[in-house]
């Protein structure tokens, strides 16, 4: 099985090296000849890549005759930088980066079927068909959010896979807190909210046999620096920037998130469901005592959240008095 599979559309290592070289020397003009020498391509290739980077929204200034420079360091999550920052980490080994891709979950599923290793990371600067929960789309504007999917091969029964969604929510929560100084609300099973607006979500997909997971892909979307959203989601979507009035580094947040998820995942593999369930209940004020409406697809009811089952499912005390376990569906707070 190849270590890192060749995939059409992945960012060429040398293109990533070009971005790094320009970033490390931001605002200084570097000649095309020097760039060509340092990254090992021809000068005309450098020119073509500069054009490509411009199309992708990277503000490279200068021209062929004088050399090139960046007006400011772009917040691009290039794999070479992440690899360096995550030496020895499970998620620092096989990283696929795309400037533009339909969905990182779609790519990670294909990689899973192709035999890619546990710990494979798929990143995109922009998604054209980002997938959300319940068949919804995930708005994935270029360079503004984090769009990342992790491929895992845990020895779990399929029914335990949703715990990974909750685990990723906990890791994202901790990473945002540590990196940005913001404390989002964690809403079962996969929403991150700030001031009532959704700033992040997790979509877990899997390939499994009846009793054993073959692989799971955990897709994490975090709205980082968006200032505006399309009209249809503007009332409910938020970003770390909008809710804190500061921009945040996507790269730093990603490095923090991958580091956090690695340690949380290892602990989950050692300790099992209780680790996730106990931590979720401790972190999420939503899990207990909130008035909610549950839409499960075939019925809709009002109730109050009453903790989580040992398997991580939400318990809701219906107004009629019965305690129900929510297996799937939308849970919305009712005020
Ligand atoms: C939700 O609806 O709350 C889940 C959103 C998950 C979005 C992320 S972005 C990275 C990954 N790739 C996708 O296509 N979806 C997930």
């Amino acid at each position: 099985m190849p270590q890192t599979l060749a995939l059409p559309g992945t960012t060429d290592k040398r293109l990533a090296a070009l971005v790094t070289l320009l970033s490390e020397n931001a605002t200084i003009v570097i000649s095309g000849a020097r760039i060509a020498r340092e990254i090992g391509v021809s000068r005309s290739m450098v020119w073509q890549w500069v054009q490509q980077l411009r199309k992708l929204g990277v503000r490279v200034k200068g021209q062929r005759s004088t050399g090139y420079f960046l007006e400011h360091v772009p917040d691009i999550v290039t794999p070479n930088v992440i690899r360096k920052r995550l030496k020895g980490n499970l998620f620092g080994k096989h990283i696929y980066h795309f400037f533009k891709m339909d969905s990182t979950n779609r790519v990670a599923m294909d990689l899973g079927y192709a035999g890619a290793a546990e710990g494979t990371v798929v990143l995109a600067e922009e998604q054209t068909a980002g997938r959300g929960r319940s068949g919804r789309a995930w708005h994935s504007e270029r360079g503004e959010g984090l769009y990342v999917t992790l491929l895992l091969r845990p020895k779990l029964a399929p029914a335990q896979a949703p715990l990974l969604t909750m685990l990723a929510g906990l890791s994202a929560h901790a990473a945002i807190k540590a990196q940005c100084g913001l404390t989002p609300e964690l809403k079962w099973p996969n929403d991150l909210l700030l001031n009532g607006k959704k700033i992040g979500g997790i979509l877990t997909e899997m390939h499994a046999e009846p009793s054993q997971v073959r692989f799971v892909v955990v897709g994490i979307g975090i709205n980082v620096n968006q200032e505006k959203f399309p009209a249809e989601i503007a009332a409910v979507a938020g970003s770390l920037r909008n809710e804190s009035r500061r921009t945040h580094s996507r790269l730093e947040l990603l490095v923090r998130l991958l580091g956090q998820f690695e340690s949380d995942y290892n602990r989950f593999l050692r300790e099992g469901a209780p680790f996730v369930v106990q931590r979720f209940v401790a972190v999420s004020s939503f899990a207990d005592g909130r008035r909610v409406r549950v839409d499960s697809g075939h019925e809709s009811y009002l109730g109050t959240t009453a903790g989580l089952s040992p398997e991580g499912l939400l318990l809701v005390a219906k107004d009629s008095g019965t305690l129900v376990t929510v297996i799937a569906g939308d849970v919305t707070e009712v005020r």
Side-chain angles (χ1 to χ4, degrees):
M1 187 205 317
Q3 279 262 299
T4 301
L5 303 158
L7 267 195
T10 32
T11 306
D12 190 306
K13 265 191 199 144
R14 294 163 304 171
L15 180 61
L18 169 59
V19 176
T20 308
L21 181 66
L22 289 170
S23 301
E24 284 172 352
N25 297 279
T27 72
I28 298 168
V29 178
I30 314 178
S31 72
R34 181 180 151 204
I35 298 176
R37 212 174 38 248
E38 291 205 14
I39 63 176
V41 294
S42 68
R43 285 183 65 181
S44 65
M45 188 58 135
V46 172
W47 168 243
Q48 280 171 37
W49 277 347
V50 165
Q51 303 287 75
Q52 200 182 326
L53 286 174
R54 284 178 176 153
K55 270 197 217 130
L56 294 163
V58 181
R59 280 163 41 205
V60 190
K61 295 276 170 183
Q63 327 150 8
R64 239 174 153 156
S65 53
T66 53
Y68 310 100
F69 69 99
L70 288 176
E71 268 184 323
H72 65 97
V73 179
D75 189 18
I76 298 177
V77 287
T78 37
N80 47 346
V81 177
I82 299 161
R83 234 174 258 126
K84 236 188 260 168
R85 298 278 304 272
L86 288 176
K87 279 218 176 94
N89 182 298
L90 172 64
F91 301 107
K93 296 190 179 85
H94 307 288
I95 304 175
Y96 294 80
H97 176 270
F98 300 88
F99 274 96
K100 193 172 185 167
M101 192 29 79
D102 53 354
S103 153
T104 54
N105 267 31
R106 199 276 302 153
V107 173
M109 285 300 286
D110 286 356
L111 284 167
Y113 286 114
E118 155 137 307
T120 294
V121 175
V122 185
L123 286 164
E125 300 295 327
E126 173 184 4
Q127 295 185 118
T128 52
R131 299 177 185 172
R133 242 180 113 222
S134 310
R136 295 188 196 105
W138 185 257
H139 178 66
S140 313
E141 205 177 322
R142 182 173 71 200
E144 306 286 8
L146 273 183
Y147 317 116
V148 54
T149 302
L150 312 176
L151 173 68
L152 306 171
R153 295 185 178 277
K155 287 197 172 62
L156 293 180
Q160 292 174 296
L163 289 166
L164 292 169
T165 306
M166 295 165 68
L167 191 73
L170 284 164
S171 304
H173 180 273
I176 292 169
K177 200 168 168 183
Q179 188 58 41
C180 312
L182 300 166
T183 309
E185 167 71 290
L186 195 52
K187 179 174 158 263
W188 186 91
N190 75 330
D191 287 352
L192 289 155
L193 308 169
L194 264 179
N195 305 324
K197 300 227 171 176
K198 179 150 168 170
I199 53 105
I202 324 284
L203 179 67
T204 299
E205 300 181 67
M206 69 172 154
H207 170 53
E209 282 159 13
S211 63
Q212 163 81 48
V213 163
R214 292 293 218 128
F215 63 84
V216 180
V217 307
V218 180
I220 306 169
I222 302 179
N223 298 336
V224 183
N225 289 322
Q226 286 91 337
E227 289 184 65
K228 282 206 171 117
F229 290 93
E232 59 281 13
I233 56 167
V236 289
S239 68
L240 299 177
R241 182 191 193 287
N242 280 354
E243 300 313 311
S244 66
R245 303 189 184 282
R246 290 183 282 131
T247 52
H248 300 272
S249 162
R250 291 158 68 239
L251 176 69
E252 293 303 325
L253 184 57
L254 175 69
V255 168
R256 186 78 80 151
L257 173 64
L258 296 179
Q260 179 72 42
F261 187 80
E262 192 210 35
S263 79
D264 291 340
Y265 179 57
N266 285 334
R267 201 158 157 199
F268 166 60
L269 294 180
R270 285 195 308 272
E271 297 178 24
F275 165 62
V276 183
V277 174
Q278 282 159 22
R279 224 173 101 198
F280 201 94
V281 172
V283 167
S284 167
S285 59
F286 186 88
D288 208 0
R290 288 283 176 98
R291 290 284 298 155
V292 290
R293 169 184 302 285
V294 180
D295 291 299
S296 71
H298 59 276
E299 66 164 339
S300 172
Y301 52 84
L302 288 168
T304 305
T305 58
L308 299 181
S309 75
E311 301 78 32
L313 300 172
L314 185 69
L315 303 174
V316 173
K318 275 186 172 179
D319 285 356
S320 59
T322 353
L323 191 65
V324 281
T325 306
V326 183
I327 293 165
D330 279 333
V331 183
T332 330
E333 188 168 8
V334 189
R335 288 171 198 270

